[in-house]
Amino acid sequence: MGSLVETLKDPVKRPAVIADCELLLDAEVKDKRGLSGLAVKAAFKTVKSFRPNMIGRAMDDLLDDFAMRVDPFWAECQSSGGNPRAFFSSRRTEIANALLAVTDERASNSPNPVLVKAYKSLRGKAVEHIGAAMPRFSSLIEKHASS
């Protein structure tokens, strides 16, 4: 098993990771329920309608920073011999906060008020939403960092 950062340097693997990230995001948004789910779906629709292929481009732009934040958790999981799904689920709050540190910084520097507004509307529940995605997220990491 390898480093996420190194995996993303492979020009063949990177597009596959991005495509799987988009699928993960689509599945997670689709699964959201209740008022919070409606807010997530509305914000996601806003972002997707803003510019075609924006999610893929944004993911490509964020992926290296995300990988640097998640790599220490992945390394710890590998060294402990733990099950990735169980490990990532047990550390979901820490991992979510690590990922959100990247997006918080980007949002604070964004010149686009529509996207910033959509981001801020979701930020309050973001740790919870990202935490709920840990089973899919850990499977994605295991799939790509292991190959």
Side-chain angles (χ1 to χ4, degrees), residues 119-141:
Y119 180 78
K120 286 182 176 181
S121 75
L122 298 175
R123 182 57 178 89
K125 293 269 191 180
V127 171
E128 180 182 325
H129 291 302
I130 295 169
M134 279 305 131
R136 285 182 175 128
F137 185 66
S138 64
S139 294
L140 184 147
I141 290 170

Side-chain angles (χ1 to χ4, degrees), residues 4 11 13 19 23-26 35 44 53 65 71 77-78 86 90 92-93 97 105 111 118 128-129 139 143:
L4 299 172
K13 291 181 182 179
L23 291 173
L24 181 151
L25 192 55
D26 285 338
L35 291 176
F44 193 64
N53 300 317
D65 290 337
D71 234 353
C77 176
Q78 291 179 89
S90 71
R92 68 180 159 267
T93 300
N97 283 317
E105 181 180 335
E128 180 182 325
H129 291 302
S139 294
K143 174 183 175 181

Side-chain angles (χ1 to χ4, degrees), residues 78-93:
Q78 291 179 89
S79 68
S80 72
N83 173 289
R85 183 174 282 221
F87 179 88
F88 273 69
S89 292
S90 71
R91 305 286 295 275
R92 68 180 159 267
T93 300

Side-chain angles (χ1 to χ4, degrees), residues 6-141:
E6 291 303 314
T7 296
L8 295 175
K9 290 179 183 177
D10 184 322
V12 174
K13 291 181 182 179
R14 187 179 185 93
V17 172
I18 292 167
D20 282 350
C21 286
E22 288 185 80
L23 291 173
L24 181 151
L25 192 55
D26 285 338
E28 287 297 322
V29 170
K30 183 180 177 187
D31 286 352
K32 297 298 175 203
R33 302 285 180 253
L35 291 176
S36 177
L38 289 174
V40 169
K41 288 176 182 182
F44 193 64
K45 184 177 178 180
T46 299
V47 169
K48 285 183 103 172
S49 67
F50 185 72
R51 194 177 308 150
N53 300 317
M54 185 168 185
I55 299 296
R57 286 192 295 233
M59 191 56 63
D60 189 32
D61 187 46
L62 293 166
L63 208 50
D64 293 317
D65 290 337
F66 282 163
M68 286 192 312
R69 299 292 180 123
V70 174
D71 234 353
F73 295 102
W74 178 239
E76 184 180 342
C77 176
Q78 291 179 89
S79 68
S80 72
N83 173 289
R85 183 174 282 221
F87 179 88
F88 273 69
S89 292
S90 71
R91 305 286 295 275
R92 68 180 159 267
T93 300
E94 292 171 80
I95 295 167
N97 283 317
L99 293 169
L100 287 166
V102 173
T103 57
D104 287 347
E105 181 180 335
R106 297 287 179 99
S108 71
N109 295 320
S110 175
N112 189 312
V114 173
L115 295 179
V116 171
K117 182 178 179 181
Y119 180 78
K120 286 182 176 181
S121 75
L122 298 175
R123 182 57 178 89
K125 293 269 191 180
V127 171
E128 180 182 325
H129 291 302
I130 295 169
M134 279 305 131
R136 285 182 175 128
F137 185 66
S138 64
S139 294
L140 184 147
I141 290 170

